[in-house]
Every structure is written in C-alpha cells, then in structure tokens.
Amino acid sequence: MKAAGAVGFAAILNPKAMDVPWSRVASSRGNPAMALIDAGNTGDKGLQFSLTIKSDSGQSISCG
Amino acid sequence: MAELLADADSGRLLPHFPLQRRIAVTQTFVHSNAESPNVAGVLEGDEPNLRNEYVILSAHLDHLGIGAPVHGDRIYNGALDNVAGIASLIEIARHLHDSGVRLRRSVLFLAVTAEEKGELGSQYFAAHPTVPSGGIVADINMDMFMPLFPLRYLEVQGLGESTFGASIREAAKDEGVKVQADKQPQRNRFIRSDQYSFVKHGIPALAFKFGYVPGTPEEKIFQGWLHTRYHAPSDDASQLVDLAAAAHFDRVIERLLTSVANDPEKPQWLPNSFFRRFAR
C-alpha cells in the first residue's frame, strides 16, 4: 500500500462481521500501536494512519 | 451504504468510486522502542533423518494489558485469549515429556508475543526462526479455542487447505470429536492469528475453535462470550470454563501433534488451496 502512495487506510465496519460491539471498538482507539523494527516481511511498512468508521457514519463519508 | 453492506454480505465485489468527502487528520506520534521475547522449547525427535524437521505447537502469550475501564475494571486479563492456549501448550509439552514418548520429528513449543498487536512475535519468528527455516513442516496454533462447553465438535480453520486436514479429522475421530469447517469464512479467521505468519512462509497450519451446531445452547454461549467478554476485562478467571473439555481438547491436539511428528510425509498444501501460492 505504501508503494501505491498510501499513508494509511480507512475502513467502514460491517456490523454483521464485527466480533465486538462498537463501544469496545471505540474504547480501544487510544491503545498504542506496535510494529516490528525489522518489518521487511510485512505489507504495511510505513503506514502510519488508520481510521475505523462505524457503518452508521459510512453513508456520509462514502456518499456525501 | 446499505447497498455496499449488502454486496459485502453476499460476497460480491465492491464497487470503486470517488469518495464525496475529504478527511483532514492531524496526528502526534510518540515513538519508543520495546522488546518482548518469544519463548521456545524443543522436544528433539528420535529419527536421524527427520529430527531436523520441526512441527510447531504455538500459542500467543500476550493480551491487551491495561486499557479503557469497563464497569470500573481496567485489567484486560485474557483468560481465554490466550491464557488457555498457553496452558494447553505447557500441559501438552509436560505430558509428552513425562510420557517418555519418542517422536520421529522434533517438536518446537512456541509461545509468541504481540499477537494482539498484529502477530508481531510470530511474524518475527517465521522470518528469523531459531531452527533451520526449511525444517519447519507445520504449525498447530492454539488461540482462544473457547472451552466453554463439552468438546463434541471441533471447528478447524484451514481444514480444506492442506493434507493436515485429514490428520486432524483422524485425531479428532480417535477422541470421539466431530470436525467442522469454519462456519464463518467471511470473517477470515484463518488469517487472523499467528498461524498465518507461518502460512505466509509456505508452512501448512491449522487453528481451532470449539464447534457447535447452529441453533443450540452452545451457539448461544459461544456468541454471547464474543459479545460480552471478547477483548473485555471480563475475560477473566471468574468465568465458567469447562476444564474437562479443555483437557479433552489437549488430548486431540496431542494426537494431532504426534501423528504429524511421526508421519513420514510432511503436510502439503492441497492443489486447489489459495495458500498454495506461498509454498516454497
């Protein structure tokens, strides 16, 4: 993804595929992220941003 | 949005289109380095031409630590995710050692760190193994296998991907357990735990959950646990774990481990497996 110019990704959650309620997803937003220093074998090297969007809000993001 | 979700639910390819909004984000990063070890132990194989091949039995040793409070509790204990996996790892290792059984291949008991941060420990180990990388023939991964009711059905992720599937069917049958394929493949659980770190290096792998028949009380228990305790402080020692069922699970996994370690043939990807592309 970085090679394609992306600095991160945004994902809209599908409520039918969520293992945990949105409240627990939202409460984990402050958890620190970790990455291997030796990240040569991962596809997300250099990505520094991720955004998770509740499906209720996805409408305004995707369709204005 | 409803149209997109319907497409996703039915497995159709999602359309591409320009988004109608822009999002501006300002982030401040605080970087620091941390070290967290994997822990490994080896039971050496007995057969000279196979003892340099390794079957890995893995489980992750980390959980979420201290986080946002839920009902005033900030300690995320991880009893089933994945203390139970580590307990099984230790118990199977202890039992194999104490029984004095001699296996043809070697077994690597591997407790990996930082699964919850993106399978970092297993990724590192798979890229930098402590044994010759070409010698790792399989990974059996135990992550949140959910011993909440008697083990009548075992759901196996990766069941239809390699010859390993036949091995777990045989091991489960010998313990009176029926094997089920992944009931929710759309959740991609086969690529969501440490086994995938090995799959990406071409190594066949399996992972497990206690199975159930849809519509039964067991399904309600399973789904209820996900809703209330998964990645919550209440995944703790107070919950009703079926210890006899957990011991039954250990026996199935030990049978599988033993059969793969003694099989003259290594597990192989099946010809139609998506993951065969990683084979080396």
Side-chain angles (χ1 to χ4, degrees):
Chain A
M1 283 171 51
K2 189 187 179 191
V7 295
F9 59 87
I12 300 171
L13 291 185
N14 181 345
K16 288 189 183 167
M18 288 171 62
D19 283 331
V20 299
W22 173 257
S23 60
R24 288 221 296 284
V25 175
S27 68
S28 66
R29 65 187 178 278
N31 291 351
M34 290 179 76
L36 292 172
I37 291 175
D38 169 23
N41 60 333
T42 66
D44 58 356
K45 185 181 181 186
L47 296 177
Q48 295 192 321
F49 169 77
S50 72
L51 178 67
T52 304
I53 302 166
K54 192 178 182 184
S55 63
D56 301 359
S57 310
Q59 178 75 22
S60 62
I61 301 294
S62 60
C63 305
Chain B
M1 195 64 222
E3 214 174 303
L4 282 174
L5 290 173
D7 282 349
D9 290 340
S10 64
R12 285 191 290 273
L13 279 178
L14 298 181
H16 294 71
F17 54 88
L19 296 177
Q20 298 301 311
R21 295 219 178 174
R22 289 182 170 275
I23 300 172
V25 176
T26 303
Q27 281 186 298
T28 302
F29 292 95
V30 179
H31 287 276
S32 61
N33 290 338
E35 287 188 13
S36 184
N38 295 322
V39 181
V42 170
L43 181 65
E44 286 194 340
D46 214 29
E47 183 139 327
N49 61 340
L50 288 178
R51 70 161 61 114
N52 290 325
E53 294 185 356
Y54 294 82
V55 182
I56 293 181
L57 183 64
S58 58
H60 73 84
L61 55 76
D62 63 303
H63 190 58
L64 301 175
I66 297 171
V70 177
H71 304 306
D73 190 354
R74 298 183 63 206
I75 308 297
Y76 287 66
N77 301 277
L80 293 191
D81 183 17
N82 188 37
V83 173
I86 290 294
S88 288
L89 184 81
I90 293 170
E91 182 62 14
I92 293 168
R94 185 197 63 75
H95 187 252
L96 281 173
H97 176 267
D98 291 353
S99 70
V101 66
R102 305 301 301 178
L103 303 176
R104 300 173 77 181
R105 287 192 176 83
S106 298
V107 175
L108 183 67
F109 299 96
L110 181 62
V112 289
T113 188
E115 188 273 346
E116 302 290 2
K117 295 297 183 185
E119 298 98 40
L120 301 183
S122 58
Q123 279 190 50
Y124 188 86
F125 188 91
H128 308 282
T130 55
V131 298
S133 60
I136 300 174
V137 301
D139 175 49
I140 299 168
N141 189 45
M142 300 178 293
D143 182 6
M144 208 176 87
F145 57 85
M146 307 275 276
L148 294 169
F149 39 78
L151 182 63
R152 298 189 183 94
Y153 298 91
L154 184 65
E155 182 176 308
V156 180
Q157 285 130 28
L159 181 66
E161 306 296 344
S162 71
T163 57
F164 224 170
S167 305
I168 184 60
R169 284 187 190 283
E170 193 71 25
K173 186 179 169 189
D174 289 346
E175 287 291 337
V177 176
K178 292 177 182 167
V179 165
Q180 294 177 323
D182 189 346
K183 285 189 282 299
Q184 297 175 302
Q186 72 277 14
R187 297 202 176 195
N188 294 317
R189 288 198 173 106
F190 186 51
I191 64 168
R192 285 174 51 192
S193 186
D194 293 299
Q195 68 273 3
Y196 191 50
S197 297
F198 296 98
V199 169
K200 286 186 287 186
H201 285 261
I203 298 163
L206 293 176
F208 315 92
K209 295 274 183 276
F210 270 45
Y212 54 80
V213 174
T216 59
E218 285 80 8
E219 179 182 31
K220 196 172 175 184
I221 293 169
F222 190 101
Q223 297 299 339
W225 188 92
L226 287 177
H227 193 75
T228 59
R229 295 188 190 262
Y230 177 55
H231 283 189
S234 55
D235 179 14
D236 61 15
S238 71
Q239 60 195 308
L240 290 176
V241 173
D242 187 330
L243 295 177
H248 194 184
F249 174 82
D250 290 355
R251 292 196 296 275
V252 173
I253 298 303
E254 187 174 324
R255 275 186 189 272
L256 171 66
L257 181 62
T258 300
S259 74
V260 176
N262 285 333
D263 192 334
E265 302 295 326
K266 304 177 196 176
Q268 302 287 336
W269 295 106
L270 295 176
N272 61 348
S273 172
F274 171 87
F275 303 100
R276 187 181 175 86
R277 68 194 61 197
F278 298 121
R280 292 177 180 174

